[in-house]
Each structure stands twice: as structure tokens, then as C-alpha cells.
Amino acid sequence: MNISNQTNRLIGIDGIRGLSLLGILLANTLAFQYGIWESEIISFFELSSFDEAVYSAVLILVKGSFAPIFAFLYGFGTIKMSQNLEQRGLSPYPFLIRRFLFLLAAGLLHFLLLWEGDVLATYGLSGFLLLAFLKVKPKALIIVGISVLSLFSLMTYGSAGSTALPGVNWEDFARDSMNVYQNGGYSAIQSFRLELGAGPFSRIIFIFNWLFIPILISSMFMFGMAAAKARLFHQPAEEKRLYVRIAAILIPAGIALKAVKVVWPQLGIGGSLHTLGGTVLALGYVFAFALLFIRQNEKPAAWRTGLISVGKLSMSNYLLQTVFGVLIFYGYGLGLFGKLGTAIGCLLAIAFFGLQAWASGLYLRRFKMGPAEKLIRSVTWLGHGRKREQPRAPGM
């Protein structure tokens, strides 16, 4: 049976999303294992030279460059969903608003009950920004996206991470964190982590970041929206050369930009280059990953099928990754906070992701969507439950 270009595109998007979840899990494992603030002062944990090398590799190749891929797909999916709704004579705004409100509510619950490194609420807030750009042309979206990225890159000039906060003894804070996260129960850990860091300055910065990160990552949303409007990823076999050219330029450029802050952490421009490089590398990854899912035969390889399955259950798998992280590293689980080292932590994350890929494939043999996906679909289509062939937005 021949597979249509539309089906190829959706499979490719699901596969890209699956790979993104692997990168997000690797990056989040650092935060699960060492804390969001504490991972900025990794020297406290006395890593081996090999673990330090792995830590640096994750900072350059992974952290800050996989979550933006989801933002790209989120923008892409928002446009596709809007177009499908308009083709049926429906206004997309009520559907999208309900979707964004659900993500915001789910993210807040995720934040309050499990972990402060949530992205769902960020996407929900960012979605409301997207509403103003639904009718904007691709070229204008790219210009606005570049402008926003450039502005925030300049704003992070000279940033030196959490260790720059005044009046904070970070070694004492890291020591307290290790004690609480290794030995504390759920209530103790909740109380500690919801302090949002050491002292009032860290809380102010955390809240500032939480409110303004949606604006920062809106550049990737807009790039994704522009790609959907320009019909990129609709005919991947015909666009293969374009993917190769873009990936060959952006991936080395993004790695080089991000490496500056890691290799020369005291260099003032390092913060700006790292912010810029995170998005540049993410865009390069999008096109490189798309190459992996250009299907030339009827049956995809097993590893492709696994990634596609994970991507189709992206929100459910993302939440499961948080449950995995807190139960492995926090005191009300195995209490391995700060004990494993970055290399073993990353291997453990990869092993869990492999389990997710296998389990997702089994799950999809019986069900069409995951529990989180079904819930967000129900909320989005509230009052339109009998509509057939509801459009599926290819984003979290």
C-alpha cells in the first residue's frame, strides 16, 4: 500500500518529537540528579574527569537545544490545526485557547506536585502569544523570530549562571540539597524545592525566567509556524537536499556558539552566544532528524518505529519521564541524588527511554492515543465531541 505525503509528514514529525524527548530526558537528568540550581555548580559534586567530560558534552550538544525543538513543532502544529479547522468553517481561536489553558493548568500541577523544571506551563503561556501571529506571513514570522532571539541573546551577555547571585553560599545550599533530596520524604522535598533556590534573589530570578522564557522561546514557535505556512516537511523526499544543507550549516555553528561558554565560562559574551547557539543548534537538529524519517520503503526500521511511537505519546511520555526522575533520584524513591555520576545517569536515562519506546509501541497496538493526549484532545474539542476525524496538532 502506498503511503501518502501527508502520512509521511506526520510520521516524520512524530519521529522528530520522539528524538526530542530523548534529548529532553538527558538534559533533565542533570537537573533530577543534581538539582536545577545545583547543576550550575557541578564542581561541588567532585565528578571524575570522564563524568566532567560527559557533563560538558550534554551542556553543548543537548541542554537548551532539544526543548526548543518541541517549541518548533508546537508552532508547526498550531498552524496545521488552525488550517484544518478553518477548512471546516470553524474559528481556530476557541479550540486553541482551550488547548493552551489545559497546558497551563497541567504544567502548574506538574510544577507544584512533582518538579519545578516543567515546560508544559511555558508552552501554554507561549500559546497565547501565538494567537496574535496566526495570520502573519512566513517571512514576517521569521523576521520577528530572529529579532526576539537576538534581543534575548543580548540580554544574556555576561551571564554567569546562578553562582553570580549575591549573598549566597552555594556550597552550603548544595550540601543541604543533597541531604534533603537523598533522605527526605515527599513533604520535606516539596517544601525545599518550592523555595525555588537559595535566598530571595534566586526566587526573583526563577519567577522572572518563568514569566519571560515564553517570550524567549517564541522565536522557535514562530520558526515552526513559518515552516508550516511554507509547507516544509510536507514532501520530505523532494526536500532532502534542503535538509542536508541547512543541517550541515546550523549544527556546527550551534555547537561552536554553545561551546564558548563551556570552554571559557568567564568570557562575557559567552552567555549571549550560548543563548543564540541553543536555538541555532535546535534548528539544525530539526532538519537533521527529518532526514532520518524520509521513508524509502513500506516498513520502517525498528528504531524508527520506536521513536515514532514515543512521539505519538509525547505528553504522556514526558510526564512519565518526570515520575522516573523523581523516583530514581529523590528520597521518597531510591534517593540516588548526586550519587551516580553524569555518565551512569545518562546511560540510565537512555535505558529508560528505550523502555518507553518499547512500551509505547505495545500501547499503540491497542489504543490510538495516550491518556494525556486523550485528555487534551477532549478539552480542546469540548462541545464538538461528535466531529469526525478531529485534526491532530503535531506538538505536545
Side-chain angles (χ1 to χ4, degrees), residues 217-235:
I217 64 175
S218 67
S219 59
M220 281 298 281
F221 287 129
M222 292 181 190
F223 296 149
M225 293 169 71
K229 291 191 172 191
R231 297 190 62 80
L232 276 175
F233 307 109
H234 286 63
Q235 296 179 321

PDB file of all heavy atoms in Angstrom, residues 217-235:
ATOM      1  N   ILE A 217      11.416  31.650  23.936  1.00  0.00           N
ATOM      2  CA  ILE A 217      11.255  30.512  23.047  1.00  0.00           C
ATOM      3  C   ILE A 217      10.210  30.760  21.972  1.00  0.00           C
ATOM      4  O   ILE A 217      10.005  29.920  21.094  1.00  0.00           O
ATOM      5  CB  ILE A 217      10.906  29.226  23.826  1.00  0.00           C
ATOM      6  CG1 ILE A 217       9.557  29.358  24.534  1.00  0.00           C
ATOM      7  CG2 ILE A 217      11.996  28.876  24.813  1.00  0.00           C
ATOM      8  CD1 ILE A 217       9.111  28.078  25.203  1.00  0.00           C
ATOM      9  N   SER A 218       9.550  31.926  22.028  1.00  0.00           N
ATOM     10  CA  SER A 218       8.591  32.244  20.975  1.00  0.00           C
ATOM     11  C   SER A 218       9.262  32.322  19.616  1.00  0.00           C
ATOM     12  O   SER A 218       8.599  32.154  18.589  1.00  0.00           O
ATOM     13  CB  SER A 218       7.874  33.567  21.287  1.00  0.00           C
ATOM     14  OG  SER A 218       8.766  34.671  21.220  1.00  0.00           O
ATOM     15  N   SER A 219      10.578  32.551  19.589  1.00  0.00           N
ATOM     16  CA  SER A 219      11.277  32.560  18.299  1.00  0.00           C
ATOM     17  C   SER A 219      11.164  31.207  17.625  1.00  0.00           C
ATOM     18  O   SER A 219      10.889  31.116  16.421  1.00  0.00           O
ATOM     19  CB  SER A 219      12.749  32.942  18.481  1.00  0.00           C
ATOM     20  OG  SER A 219      13.408  32.043  19.355  1.00  0.00           O
ATOM     21  N   MET A 220      11.337  30.111  18.388  1.00  0.00           N
ATOM     22  CA  MET A 220      11.207  28.784  17.804  1.00  0.00           C
ATOM     23  C   MET A 220       9.763  28.475  17.433  1.00  0.00           C
ATOM     24  O   MET A 220       9.492  27.801  16.432  1.00  0.00           O
ATOM     25  CB  MET A 220      11.750  27.731  18.760  1.00  0.00           C
ATOM     26  CG  MET A 220      13.254  27.616  18.771  1.00  0.00           C
ATOM     27  SD  MET A 220      13.967  27.124  17.189  1.00  0.00           S
ATOM     28  CE  MET A 220      13.679  25.354  17.203  1.00  0.00           C
ATOM     29  N   PHE A 221       8.809  28.953  18.219  1.00  0.00           N
ATOM     30  CA  PHE A 221       7.410  28.799  17.836  1.00  0.00           C
ATOM     31  C   PHE A 221       7.170  29.442  16.476  1.00  0.00           C
ATOM     32  O   PHE A 221       6.503  28.871  15.611  1.00  0.00           O
ATOM     33  CB  PHE A 221       6.499  29.457  18.878  1.00  0.00           C
ATOM     34  CG  PHE A 221       6.392  28.705  20.170  1.00  0.00           C
ATOM     35  CD1 PHE A 221       6.607  29.336  21.378  1.00  0.00           C
ATOM     36  CD2 PHE A 221       6.067  27.360  20.184  1.00  0.00           C
ATOM     37  CE1 PHE A 221       6.501  28.651  22.575  1.00  0.00           C
ATOM     38  CE2 PHE A 221       5.952  26.662  21.373  1.00  0.00           C
ATOM     39  CZ  PHE A 221       6.174  27.307  22.573  1.00  0.00           C
ATOM     40  N   MET A 222       7.700  30.640  16.318  1.00  0.00           N
ATOM     41  CA  MET A 222       7.466  31.370  15.069  1.00  0.00           C
ATOM     42  C   MET A 222       8.160  30.709  13.887  1.00  0.00           C
ATOM     43  O   MET A 222       7.618  30.679  12.777  1.00  0.00           O
ATOM     44  CB  MET A 222       7.914  32.824  15.236  1.00  0.00           C
ATOM     45  CG  MET A 222       7.033  33.593  16.203  1.00  0.00           C
ATOM     46  SD  MET A 222       7.526  35.310  16.403  1.00  0.00           S
ATOM     47  CE  MET A 222       6.480  35.784  17.784  1.00  0.00           C
ATOM     48  N   PHE A 223       9.341  30.172  14.111  1.00  0.00           N
ATOM     49  CA  PHE A 223      10.015  29.450  13.029  1.00  0.00           C
ATOM     50  C   PHE A 223       9.193  28.225  12.628  1.00  0.00           C
ATOM     51  O   PHE A 223       9.089  27.886  11.443  1.00  0.00           O
ATOM     52  CB  PHE A 223      11.416  29.030  13.462  1.00  0.00           C
ATOM     53  CG  PHE A 223      12.345  30.179  13.741  1.00  0.00           C
ATOM     54  CD1 PHE A 223      13.358  30.062  14.693  1.00  0.00           C
ATOM     55  CD2 PHE A 223      12.228  31.382  13.066  1.00  0.00           C
ATOM     56  CE1 PHE A 223      14.217  31.120  14.963  1.00  0.00           C
ATOM     57  CE2 PHE A 223      13.079  32.450  13.318  1.00  0.00           C
ATOM     58  CZ  PHE A 223      14.083  32.307  14.275  1.00  0.00           C
ATOM     59  N   GLY A 224       8.610  27.544  13.625  1.00  0.00           N
ATOM     60  CA  GLY A 224       7.764  26.401  13.321  1.00  0.00           C
ATOM     61  C   GLY A 224       6.504  26.808  12.574  1.00  0.00           C
ATOM     62  O   GLY A 224       6.061  26.118  11.644  1.00  0.00           O
ATOM     63  N   MET A 225       5.908  27.926  12.968  1.00  0.00           N
ATOM     64  CA  MET A 225       4.728  28.427  12.275  1.00  0.00           C
ATOM     65  C   MET A 225       5.063  28.781  10.831  1.00  0.00           C
ATOM     66  O   MET A 225       4.298  28.476   9.905  1.00  0.00           O
ATOM     67  CB  MET A 225       4.186  29.652  13.015  1.00  0.00           C
ATOM     68  CG  MET A 225       3.631  29.340  14.403  1.00  0.00           C
ATOM     69  SD  MET A 225       3.288  30.830  15.392  1.00  0.00           S
ATOM     70  CE  MET A 225       1.850  31.482  14.543  1.00  0.00           C
ATOM     71  N   ALA A 226       6.227  29.413  10.644  1.00  0.00           N
ATOM     72  CA  ALA A 226       6.643  29.781   9.288  1.00  0.00           C
ATOM     73  C   ALA A 226       6.867  28.532   8.434  1.00  0.00           C
ATOM     74  O   ALA A 226       6.502  28.487   7.256  1.00  0.00           O
ATOM     75  CB  ALA A 226       7.917  30.618   9.339  1.00  0.00           C
ATOM     76  N   ALA A 227       7.461  27.495   9.029  1.00  0.00           N
ATOM     77  CA  ALA A 227       7.702  26.251   8.291  1.00  0.00           C
ATOM     78  C   ALA A 227       6.387  25.621   7.847  1.00  0.00           C
ATOM     79  O   ALA A 227       6.270  25.113   6.718  1.00  0.00           O
ATOM     80  CB  ALA A 227       8.493  25.271   9.157  1.00  0.00           C
ATOM     81  N   ALA A 228       5.376  25.635   8.735  1.00  0.00           N
ATOM     82  CA  ALA A 228       4.078  25.057   8.375  1.00  0.00           C
ATOM     83  C   ALA A 228       3.419  25.855   7.257  1.00  0.00           C
ATOM     84  O   ALA A 228       2.855  25.278   6.318  1.00  0.00           O
ATOM     85  CB  ALA A 228       3.171  25.004   9.599  1.00  0.00           C
ATOM     86  N   LYS A 229       3.497  27.169   7.333  1.00  0.00           N
ATOM     87  CA  LYS A 229       2.873  28.001   6.303  1.00  0.00           C
ATOM     88  C   LYS A 229       3.599  27.876   4.975  1.00  0.00           C
ATOM     89  O   LYS A 229       2.982  27.996   3.899  1.00  0.00           O
ATOM     90  CB  LYS A 229       2.845  29.461   6.757  1.00  0.00           C
ATOM     91  CG  LYS A 229       1.884  29.715   7.913  1.00  0.00           C
ATOM     92  CD  LYS A 229       1.679  31.193   8.166  1.00  0.00           C
ATOM     93  CE  LYS A 229       0.584  31.406   9.193  1.00  0.00           C
ATOM     94  NZ  LYS A 229       0.144  32.811   9.291  1.00  0.00           N
ATOM     95  N   ALA A 230       4.916  27.649   5.023  1.00  0.00           N
ATOM     96  CA  ALA A 230       5.697  27.473   3.789  1.00  0.00           C
ATOM     97  C   ALA A 230       5.644  26.028   3.290  1.00  0.00           C
ATOM     98  O   ALA A 230       6.281  25.705   2.295  1.00  0.00           O
ATOM     99  CB  ALA A 230       7.146  27.883   4.040  1.00  0.00           C
ATOM    100  N   ARG A 231       4.913  25.166   4.017  1.00  0.00           N
ATOM    101  CA  ARG A 231       4.717  23.757   3.653  1.00  0.00           C
ATOM    102  C   ARG A 231       6.025  22.967   3.646  1.00  0.00           C
ATOM    103  O   ARG A 231       6.215  22.052   2.834  1.00  0.00           O
ATOM    104  CB  ARG A 231       3.990  23.634   2.311  1.00  0.00           C
ATOM    105  CG  ARG A 231       2.576  24.219   2.351  1.00  0.00           C
ATOM    106  CD  ARG A 231       1.787  23.883   1.097  1.00  0.00           C
ATOM    107  NE  ARG A 231       1.601  22.439   0.937  1.00  0.00           N
ATOM    108  CZ  ARG A 231       0.678  21.733   1.586  1.00  0.00           C
ATOM    109  NH1 ARG A 231      -0.125  22.324   2.460  1.00  0.00           N
ATOM    110  NH2 ARG A 231       0.554  20.441   1.390  1.00  0.00           N
ATOM    111  N   LEU A 232       6.927  23.324   4.537  1.00  0.00           N
ATOM    112  CA  LEU A 232       8.103  22.486   4.750  1.00  0.00           C
ATOM    113  C   LEU A 232       7.669  21.187   5.435  1.00  0.00           C
ATOM    114  O   LEU A 232       6.680  21.167   6.165  1.00  0.00           O
ATOM    115  CB  LEU A 232       9.127  23.205   5.623  1.00  0.00           C
ATOM    116  CG  LEU A 232      10.093  24.168   4.925  1.00  0.00           C
ATOM    117  CD1 LEU A 232      10.940  24.883   5.966  1.00  0.00           C
ATOM    118  CD2 LEU A 232      10.973  23.440   3.933  1.00  0.00           C
ATOM    119  N   PHE A 233       8.409  20.117   5.206  1.00  0.00           N
ATOM    120  CA  PHE A 233       8.172  18.790   5.786  1.00  0.00           C
ATOM    121  C   PHE A 233       6.890  18.130   5.257  1.00  0.00           C
ATOM    122  O   PHE A 233       6.427  17.155   5.804  1.00  0.00           O
ATOM    123  CB  PHE A 233       8.120  18.854   7.322  1.00  0.00           C
ATOM    124  CG  PHE A 233       9.306  19.521   7.935  1.00  0.00           C
ATOM    125  CD1 PHE A 233       9.184  20.768   8.525  1.00  0.00           C
ATOM    126  CD2 PHE A 233      10.554  18.929   7.895  1.00  0.00           C
ATOM    127  CE1 PHE A 233      10.279  21.404   9.079  1.00  0.00           C
ATOM    128  CE2 PHE A 233      11.655  19.554   8.446  1.00  0.00           C
ATOM    129  CZ  PHE A 233      11.523  20.795   9.040  1.00  0.00           C
ATOM    130  N   HIS A 234       6.329  18.675   4.185  1.00  0.00           N
ATOM    131  CA  HIS A 234       5.172  18.053   3.561  1.00  0.00           C
ATOM    132  C   HIS A 234       5.590  17.054   2.472  1.00  0.00           C
ATOM    133  O   HIS A 234       4.884  16.094   2.208  1.00  0.00           O
ATOM    134  CB  HIS A 234       4.246  19.112   2.959  1.00  0.00           C
ATOM    135  CG  HIS A 234       3.476  19.876   3.984  1.00  0.00           C
ATOM    136  ND1 HIS A 234       4.066  20.667   4.932  1.00  0.00           N
ATOM    137  CD2 HIS A 234       2.139  19.952   4.218  1.00  0.00           C
ATOM    138  CE1 HIS A 234       3.141  21.214   5.709  1.00  0.00           C
ATOM    139  NE2 HIS A 234       1.954  20.795   5.288  1.00  0.00           N
ATOM    140  N   GLN A 235       6.715  17.314   1.830  1.00  0.00           N
ATOM    141  CA  GLN A 235       7.241  16.421   0.799  1.00  0.00           C
ATOM    142  C   GLN A 235       8.719  16.160   1.088  1.00  0.00           C
ATOM    143  O   GLN A 235       9.607  16.655   0.391  1.00  0.00           O
ATOM    144  CB  GLN A 235       7.055  17.043  -0.586  1.00  0.00           C
ATOM    145  CG  GLN A 235       5.579  17.233  -0.966  1.00  0.00           C
ATOM    146  CD  GLN A 235       5.422  17.875  -2.328  1.00  0.00           C
ATOM    147  OE1 GLN A 235       6.180  18.781  -2.692  1.00  0.00           O
ATOM    148  NE2 GLN A 235       4.438  17.416  -3.080  1.00  0.00           N
TER     149      GLN A 235
END
